[in-house]
Amino acid sequence: MTATSTTTVAPSEPVIRAPRSGPAARWLAVLRTPVGASAGLLLAAVLIMAVLAPILWTDDATKIDTSAIGQGSSSAHWVGTDALGRDLFFRVLVATRLSIGLALLATLIAVGAGLILGTLPALVGRRLGRLVTALVNIAVAFPGLLLALFFAVIFGIGAKGAVLAIGFAGAPAFARLAQTLVAGVSERDYIAAARVAGVGRFRIVLRHVLPNIAEPLVVNATIGAGGALLGFAGLSFLGLGVQAPSYDWGRLLGEGLNGIYVHPAAALAPGVAVVIAGLAFNLFGEAVAKGLGQSVVVGHLPPLPRRRPARADGTEQAAQAASDSDTVLDVRDLTVTFPGPAGPVRPVRGVTLSIRRGEAVGVVGESGSGKSLTALALAQLIEEPGRVEAARLDFLGTDLTAGARAHRHLLGTKFAMVFQDPMTSFNPSRRIGGQLAELVREHGGLSRAEARTRAVDRLRAVRVPAPERRARQYPHEFSGGMRQRAMIALGMMGAPALIVADEPTTALDVTVQRQVLRLLDSIRTADDVAILLISHDVAVVGQVCERVLVMYAGRIVEDLPSAELLTGALHPYTRALVAAVPDMRTDLHQPLAVIPGRPVSPAEQPRGCAFAPRCPLATDKCEQEDPALVAHGPGHFVACWHAHG
Amino acid sequence: MAELRFEDVTVRFGSGRRALTAVDGVQLTVPSGGVVGLVGESGSGKSTLARAAVGLTPLAGGRILLDGVPVRPSAGRRPMQMVFQDPYSSLDPRMRIGDSVAEALPRRGPEAVTGSARRAEVARLLELVDIDPARAGHYPAQLSGGQRQRVALARALAGRPDVIIADEITSGLDVSIQGTVLNLVRDLQRQLGMSLLFISHNLAVVRYVASSIAVMYLGRIVEHGPTDQVLNDPQHPYTRDLLAAVPDTGGAGMLDEPHPDPRVRAVADAEPADPHAPPPGCRYHPRCPIGPLVLADREICRITEPSTDHRHHAACHFATAKDTAEIGSTS
Amino acid sequence: MTSVSATPRAVTDWARGAVGSATDNAWVRFAVRRLERLIVSVWVLLTAAFAMIHLIPGDPVRAVLGPTASPQLVQAKRHDLGLDQPLYRQYGHYLHGVFTGDFGTSLGSGLPVSQVISQRLPATLELAVLAFAVAVLLAIPIGVLMSVLTRGGRARRTELTFTSTSVVLGAIPEFLLAVALVYVFGVNLGWLPVAGRSGPDSYILPVLSLAIGPAAVLARIVRVEMLAVLQADFVRTARAKRLRAAAIYLKHALPNAVTATLTLGGLLLSAMVAGTVLVENVFAWPGLGSTIVQSILAKDYPLVQGIVFVYGIGVLAVNLVVDVALALLDPRSAIRES
């Protein structure tokens, strides 16, 4: 219907395979892990025991045998007998129902009351909501047992009183949890969208808030049931819980303690039962939490294969680079591998580049291109389980493939990195000056005073106003742009030959971005420092750098002088990328250029050219064979079978 | 199709001494069926203004009028809808996308859609934004970022709004996908005739979509006029600064030679102002290359707030005076 | 849109503003806010302790004296306890009593409650403080070591052993641990005393039973927090600075992990305060814990009230110390407005 409906051109837009993402499927997946399965089994066993034991063994448990009072373990009575000659083993088993049942009841009360208190602020007005929140915050400071004792005084001794006591004692913690979860969800845009759409407050809580907090709530309820069980056992143990003639594990424990010198099994058996049941609840809850929350891919990479011979695509560039004696960075065939759910994943494959002193090189790419990982790999900052391999990785003539430890001082003083997010790149609990000074104290052997002076000096060089005062401040007192400048100052503490900047201005306003980029450029010209600038913004890279490397799906697809970006790009992806960025001269009467399809994720790299599914020039050859990077002119390399001549 | 007018709108957060005035006396009109682009950096208050328009943030002063009538939040039809920035949090992850869109359909009143007609309407809306209606049963996790933004757009359209506010809707998307959403927005606006307030920090994108541009700085609108005029002949120094800072692949370098005058260089490196403590007088004066820090005789910038009685309603003491041709035109 | 009214909120806002303007210092603001919260919490605690008795269904006096006591006796006792006065008068009297150190008289022993408490408090205090010290001294080094050894999925077997051990230990409630320790060291081996508070070795088992569970949980938390901090951007910056590994772990990672640990550690310490109740009962330790259980069973309400109040104050004190420590370690949390 519109001229630009390229998205319904089916093959280029893959539908993500529908995971059976219903909640049932996720919980089942948890049961497949070893911890989840064993905890689940244990829990099931406990619950079955709770149901069946009284049916099977009540008589055995209540049979009084005055001839066998206070006996120890024997073949007749596995755990012995109590003061009235009753078999303790069966008593422990039968007590399961009361112990578990009361604990579950108390948990229900705690969760119910907690949920109401926790969601109340979202439903009622601000004043009342704040009052409720404040009361909950005060109550939550008190440990459960104290609250339980408090309520036990009010509700009285006995099973009923104890259930109410433990239930209400657990309510503040759940209320606080519910509040936190509700607050977290309320921040999300879909709640705001529902409000704007006119959905009522009550309906928002019911349809949007509750389903999104249900999972963590249930998980915590499971763990809470374990806690309630222990709390109940404690109360009964003290004599404040279940009263004779009823008996639960706590009561049995209390009775057993008195005779522990003579008859230890009487105390230990119910204790073991409590621990097992408590563990079952806790472990199951935690297994579920882990399964639903994180999806940490656990995998091992196969042992390093024998070194593959250097690929043809690198040699041309490398030949050019090796001839220059002031090459700062010389990389050939860099590959980064991570373990993945379906085998190893290579977000960076076969990257070759070289940078000379004072040169500004840009790497441009979208999400999934591997550009940031390339930067980290160059800086030797990729840790296990990731693995970095390269045919050559030379920095200032030194081979880095031996690992970072061997060249600590070299890298510390000559290789500077500027990361993307200025908000989190500094240690929040230490002052900026100290964090800068640390570098030269470690690598240059400077004294404290000298290092401090140097830090202030560098801050001044990056045009941070009032540098002496600023050096004594904490990172949160700096604005975003100033923090990036401090990052650059950190890199300048040594005498760097290379600054690798990974999306340094993405999180900054455009006017601040200009300041930071100007700073980098002035450092480059003043000190002959090489700059490797990584960005998703073609325009920025085109402006700042002399040479641009375009990355797609882990490979470099084009290496060209930035002057040729607008008119002389040869790879279809580069051309499309440049065309897709709107600028101040875009034709307003035409629809914006779009690249159909989506960037490829590292797990789905196809066999041939990764861009083929989206490429207007693609042929069969492109899908079968991956093109190598070949020269198409001075300083211009393209990896495409159909690059425009 | 309705005219949205902000009359002296002020939004304040907190109270007492440490109150933050995020929006300060904003006057802005989105003409019926027109597109106004709102441009600003962080701390400018543009998102706060948007949220105030749809009733998510209370006003501390001023009024918001729709066709001359103050907007009153009520059940039933909501004439103003919004599309948010983050495609990953604008859809409920536990609701199917069809249900998310259906939720926004009016239930009461003359335009109510009920019963089986709802499903048909959801399908129609999804088709409108180029999403296969058969996917209404999918969850947001199965859609890409661009697709999610389009679903959010369909949801906004479901309420048959007169005005749509788009708050940085393409900032979270890859460049190659951005175009799809922008093209769609432009086409739908022309087709359905809604008034559109398009907020972005990206001048090039705003230029593509909007017929007039308003520039915000520290809670105030500092320039406002037809897009081509504002971008080709900016009247306010901040607008000029923004334009100069836009990286342009083929255009003039932003890394050109530093200015010979050290005062201009100093001003170019000045820190962005803190919204909690706006400077006295003209709020832009600490960063202004034609202001009191550079030109000694412009003390007035430090003392008096500028009026907007200039071309493009520019809030600058030294902007060109309003010419007569402009006085008669609608703002 | 919000109109100013002379509500308590407006008054506190004004007061806060006045103090804030006097010294526009984040620390002063933090101290004022914290003090505010402390005062309110103490007041809520007092009121709850007071209300506790009045919320009991039925007649507390009759519960103490038994169903066979004569009405005159009940009436006399009620007058004795001041329970025939109007509620607000009782409340005022109670508050006045608290501020002058008069918590009433124990119904069981006839002694002033404050005396009973001051006799028994030191034993509980020693136990709690010692247990806390032991828990922290065990947990932090072990947690840090574990995080270093098992980061990035290394040393799976070590991780499994550590996790399962700490989970099991953490799941055993302190009174069960106490019973088990009594059995092993008291009954079986006979190495350590298991009742009463006498020489130094009588402290070992009670302290251990209180400390081991929280130590296991804390060690696990320290490890998890360290691992999370090791993923943080600023640790990546520290690694980019090519600092020595020890410097990265101890100077950069640990202080930031401690701040998150501290909050949970505070909760654990509060729980430990409560745990003394149970442990004291196992070891016949002459502290407040054994007293409170007896007094609940004996319905000695004034004594219960007093002990509940003291425990509550202890918990509030722990929270205050944790908050101050947090503020010192992480300056941002002091600045953060509530």
Side-chain angles (χ1 to χ4, degrees), chain C residues 157-202:
Chain C
R157 220 170 297 153
T158 316
E159 193 221 326
L160 204 59
T161 318
F162 170 72
T163 309
S164 25
T165 316
S166 58
V167 164
V168 170
L169 281 179
I172 304 181
E174 55 277 279
F175 63 100
L176 279 182
L177 198 58
V179 169
L181 286 175
V182 164
Y183 173 65
V184 169
F185 290 99
V187 178
N188 245 359
L189 298 171
W191 286 352
L192 295 165
V194 295
R197 169 177 169 237
S198 44
D201 44 340
S202 70

Side-chain angles (χ1 to χ4, degrees), chain A residues 462-466 470 479-482 485 509-516 518, chain B residues 41 217 238 241 262-274 279 283-289 293-294:
Chain A
V462 298
R463 291 174 240 158
V464 167
R470 287 289 185 178
S479 72
M482 212 184 282
R485 282 187 272 172
D509 281 327
V510 71
T511 49
V512 179
Q513 167 175 274
R514 185 174 50 164
Q515 291 174 345
V516 173
R518 275 193 175 148
Chain B
E41 297 181 304
Y217 184 76
Y238 179 59
D241 198 21
R263 286 171 302 183
V264 174
R265 284 205 301 273
V267 151
D269 279 334
E271 274 297 298
D274 180 7
R283 293 181 172 194
Y284 189 64
H285 84 255
R287 297 169 68 180
C288 185
L293 294 178
V294 176

Side-chain angles (χ1 to χ4, degrees), chain A residues 352-377:
Chain A
T352 299
L353 63 96
S354 67
I355 311 180
R356 292 195 309 279
R357 278 214 91 100
E359 195 183 7
V361 175
V363 176
V364 91
E366 296 178 293
S367 43
S369 59
K371 56 192 194 304
S372 286
L373 279 174
T374 305
L376 287 177

Side-chain angles (χ1 to χ4, degrees), chain A residues 115-351:
Chain A
L115 201 58
I116 293 176
L117 283 175
T119 50
L120 212 57
L123 288 172
V124 302
R126 289 187 78 204
R127 283 267 170 84
L128 192 55
R130 232 186 301 193
L131 184 66
V132 170
T133 311
L135 279 176
V136 166
N137 282 340
I138 292 180
V140 101
F142 296 99
L145 185 64
L146 283 184
L147 290 176
L149 286 176
F150 175 83
F151 284 114
V153 173
I154 296 178
F155 291 120
I157 297 166
K160 187 181 80 142
V163 165
L164 289 172
I166 299 220
F168 284 115
F174 273 105
R176 170 65 158 253
L177 176 68
Q179 263 172 20
T180 315
L181 291 172
V182 167
V185 165
S186 304
E187 310 262 290
R188 319 295 328 258
D189 285 337
Y190 57 84
I191 300 283
R195 279 171 62 195
V196 174
V199 181
R201 245 197 291 218
F202 195 68
R203 202 186 136 82
I204 287 185
V205 168
L206 213 58
R207 279 222 70 180
H208 287 282
V209 175
L210 285 182
N212 279 293
I213 67 173
E215 252 165 34
L217 217 57
V218 169
V219 166
N220 277 284
T222 313
I223 300 180
L229 184 69
L230 298 180
F232 222 103
L235 275 190
S236 295
F237 170 76
L238 292 174
L240 303 172
V242 168
Q243 302 290 310
S246 310
Y247 54 96
D248 70 339
W249 288 330
R251 181 152 197 93
L252 290 176
L253 198 65
E255 289 170 2
L257 181 62
N258 295 329
I260 193 168
Y261 278 97
V262 186
H263 190 187
L268 294 176
V272 168
V274 170
V275 172
I276 291 179
L279 262 179
F281 277 105
N282 280 346
L283 276 179
F284 188 67
E286 293 203 5
V288 171
K290 216 182 195 179
L292 296 180
Q294 270 260 340
S295 52
V296 174
V297 173
V298 171
H300 291 287
L301 290 175
L304 277 172
R306 258 157 299 151
R307 274 261 175 98
R308 280 172 289 135
R311 289 160 50 107
D313 59 351
T315 42
E316 293 188 47
Q317 289 171 298
Q320 221 176 57
S323 61
D324 291 313
S325 56
D326 54 358
T327 304
V328 168
L329 186 67
D330 187 10
V331 182
R332 197 129 65 83
D333 214 10
L334 179 74
T335 303
V336 176
T337 319
F338 278 94
V345 167
R346 283 196 179 78
V348 177
R349 23 186 202 143
V351 164

